[in-house]
Amino acid sequence: MTARPPKRIDPSGVSDLPDRLQEIIRRRNTVLGPGYQFSETIPVEFVSGFGAHLVDREGNDYLDAFNNVQGVGHSHRHVADAVSRQIASINTDTRYPQEALVVYAERLLATFPAELSKLSLPCTGSEANDLAVRVARFHTGGEGIIVTRWAFHGRTREVASFSPMLGAGSPLGPNVRLITAPDPRLCASEQSLENYMREQVRTAINDLNRHGYRLAALIADSAFTSDGIFTHPVGFMQAMVDEVHAAGGLHIADEVQSGFAQLGDSMWGFSRHGVVPDIVTMGKAIGNGFPISGVAFRPEVSDEFGQKVSYFNTLGGRSLSVAAASAVLDVFEQENVRGRVVVNGATLLAGLDTLTRNSPYVSEIRGSGLYLGIEIVKNRETIEPDPIRCENIIKDLRDRRVLISRTGPAGNVLKVRPPVAFTAADVSRLLETFAAVAKLLL
Ligand SMILES: Cc1ncc(COP(=O)(O)O)c(C=O)c1O
């Protein structure tokens, strides 16, 4: 399977775009570096946002069921005030003793199992995974990496080498092995799903060894989001992790997508599986769009790296990013974000299920909390993917000012991934709008 082609837009081919937007796109295509893309549909120029809403230049309100980066809400007042206050006072780095940095680390680590008691703060999810794998290599002396078949973990050279979603143009490392994501339909029972995943890890380790690579790490998105969103059943991961540990490797949980309560029933996706990873990486929602990311470690895997290699990141962990990230944790406490995600996620899932249950083109609805996937197929029996119908639904929703996206190797899983700020009224609006486009599923 190859990557979907980049969504480049030729403004001259988009006649209904306002002149101003066509001009911006033309100039953008001239000056921006290689590879930039727009999100799924015709671009809209947003000029403000609040909660799960984006407002365009003409004042039209769009419901954002796509961006989990501004998790606690676009332009959240508490986060904005914290950042404004901080930038007007001091913005220094981790080479200086800032109490706020220590307090933040203590607060964030308190949301993890006690074993994960050390925190580093880079700037992006890619950097977090880069550091995690670097530490895993240092600790284990191994080079081998296991990821899922359509995994995405970021875009540094190192991390791209184990991000197969980037497609054929972005080569995988010779030390990387792929396993199939936990799609329960591949197995007859939950027990056999566990065996299937364990067996795949074992085979990957054997193959790495055969080619001279000892295992460094299994790195897995705890909701397998780029593989198509696989959140149920839970519980099979311990068997995979046991294999990894037996081979001397580490388990890195990538929580860039699944963390910060996006899955509703827990702050971290790995908790749903009852495992305690060796390293956890975080990004996106951690700073509500401010460039900060995190890596939580078990000290026994990170301490020697710290003593012999050291770590510094000029922009990571500065006062300003800590102010943003601390404000996000405040909002989690003040607004009972997790409780809200559980309730609104359940209503959304039930509503979407009702709307699509009888469609010959929907094979499955998957997901947890506010991370849902609707698999669009040509035929429910063969489950042959239908990415075109999937794209048409996204476009139709966008025309009705609701933003969602798609995922999976074939690009046929509608991805409904609103910020955790999503309210009950937002759920109703999404369901009403989805009902209007459901004719595409009859
Ligand atoms: C699971 C996962 N890991 C890592 C990353 C990389 O994060 P960033 O774009 O902040 O480097 C992403 C980005 O989408 C992601 O989805």
Side-chain angles (χ1 to χ4, degrees):
M1 201 78 76
T2 54
R4 296 199 296 279
K7 290 153 257 171
R8 296 214 172 78
I9 290 180
D10 172 6
S12 61
V14 189
S15 55
D16 59 346
L17 271 190
D19 290 349
R20 180 192 145 75
L21 214 44
Q22 292 203 30
E23 177 61 8
I24 290 175
I25 295 171
R26 191 192 59 70
R27 282 167 50 203
R28 173 183 150 122
N29 287 348
T30 308
V31 293
L32 287 196
Y36 281 103
Q37 303 169 11
F38 283 110
S39 61
E40 198 68 45
T41 53
I42 297 167
V44 185
E45 190 187 9
F46 293 118
V47 293
S48 64
F50 61 96
H53 299 252
L54 288 164
V55 181
D56 72 10
R57 189 165 280 280
E58 284 72 45
N60 298 308
D61 176 302
Y62 285 69
L63 181 64
D64 186 359
F66 169 62
N67 283 290
N68 60 348
V69 177
Q70 273 87 357
V72 296
H74 291 282
S75 324
H76 195 290
R77 196 66 260 159
H78 182 68
V79 181
D81 286 347
V83 169
S84 310
R85 269 198 313 274
Q86 191 65 51
I87 201 163
S89 61
I90 180 74
N91 185 20
T92 187
D93 62 47
T94 52
R95 286 192 168 128
Y96 299 91
Q98 316 165 48
E99 187 182 9
L101 169 67
V102 179
V103 171
Y104 176 68
E106 288 167 349
R107 285 178 77 194
L108 186 65
L109 287 170
T111 67
F112 284 95
E115 292 89 331
L116 290 151
S117 60
K118 297 280 182 179
L119 182 72
S120 294
L121 295 169
C123 297
T124 66
S126 304
E127 264 189 294
N129 283 327
D130 198 294
L131 176 64
V133 165
R134 192 163 163 222
V135 169
R137 285 194 164 142
F138 186 89
H139 178 73
T140 61
E143 294 278 312
I145 308 282
I146 302 174
V147 292
T148 49
R149 208 163 289 288
W150 203 248
F152 178 63
H153 296 293
R155 295 179 193 269
T156 65
R157 187 177 188 279
E158 162 85 51
V159 180
S161 82
F162 56 86
S163 290
M165 193 201 83
L166 291 173
S170 178
L172 297 177
N175 58 326
V176 175
R177 294 296 178 275
L178 308 184
I179 59 172
T180 300
D183 182 344
R185 291 170 298 186
L186 298 169
C187 304
S189 67
E190 279 187 25
Q191 183 58 40
S192 60
L193 180 65
E194 183 178 304
N195 291 339
Y196 175 66
M197 297 310 291
R198 184 209 315 269
E199 211 39 59
Q200 287 198 83
V201 172
R202 193 176 288 163
T203 305
I205 292 168
N206 289 343
D207 195 50
L208 282 168
N209 290 343
R210 212 174 137 214
H211 290 85
Y213 295 108
R214 273 175 51 202
L215 182 65
L218 162 77
I219 172 162
D221 169 335
S222 302
F224 304 92
T225 58
S226 52
D227 285 280
I229 309 173
F230 293 100
T231 51
H232 294 86
V234 291
F236 57 82
M237 282 207 79
Q238 190 62 54
M240 299 166 71
V241 174
D242 288 346
E243 287 297 321
V244 167
H245 285 163
L250 301 183
H251 169 213
I252 301 171
D254 182 335
E255 295 281 339
V256 171
Q257 291 285 348
S258 53
F260 289 93
Q262 193 73 37
L263 304 182
D265 44 5
S266 51
M267 187 77 163
W268 307 112
F270 65 79
S271 315
R272 301 177 63 251
H273 285 273
V275 295
V276 180
D278 300 298
I279 305 178
V280 178
T281 59
M282 296 154 267
K284 294 195 188 282
I286 184 172
N288 212 41
F290 204 90
I292 174 169
S293 62
V295 190
F297 300 97
R298 290 180 186 248
E300 59 273 27
V301 307
S302 64
D303 278 1
E304 199 184 345
F305 178 89
Q307 284 148 17
K308 297 199 174 145
V309 183
S310 93
Y311 182 71
F312 176 66
N313 187 313
T314 304
L315 301 178
R318 287 188 87 85
S319 330
L320 201 47
S321 40
V322 166
S326 302
V328 168
L329 288 187
D330 295 342
V331 177
F332 265 76
E333 287 162 15
Q334 291 160 7
E335 295 184 9
N336 181 23
V337 170
R338 285 168 61 177
R340 184 170 68 205
V341 176
V342 170
V343 172
N344 292 337
T347 314
L348 184 57
L349 177 64
L352 289 172
D353 183 48
T354 305
L355 288 171
T356 58
R357 191 176 303 147
N358 296 321
S359 168
Y361 303 114
V362 172
S363 51
E364 218 172 47
I365 297 199
R366 305 192 279 264
S368 178
L370 286 172
Y371 213 126
L372 304 179
I374 306 171
E375 190 177 76
I376 307 297
V377 293
K378 292 190 174 155
N379 172 320
R380 272 172 106 140
E381 306 307 313
T382 63
I383 62 168
E384 185 187 345
D386 192 346
I388 305 287
R389 188 180 301 274
C390 194
E391 193 172 347
N392 288 340
I393 295 167
I394 294 167
K395 281 194 182 129
D396 201 340
L397 283 169
R398 177 247 170 234
D399 289 345
R400 295 163 197 269
R401 304 206 177 105
V402 169
L403 306 176
I404 65 163
S405 181
R406 60 187 171 138
T407 185
N412 71 316
V413 179
L414 291 171
K415 180 164 70 175
V416 183
R417 181 196 56 183
V420 292
F422 223 54
T423 63
D426 297 332
V427 170
S428 302
R429 177 167 161 195
L430 196 151
L431 289 175
E432 276 160 30
T433 315
F434 202 92
V437 307
K439 63 178 184 311
L440 292 171
L441 293 169
L442 296 177

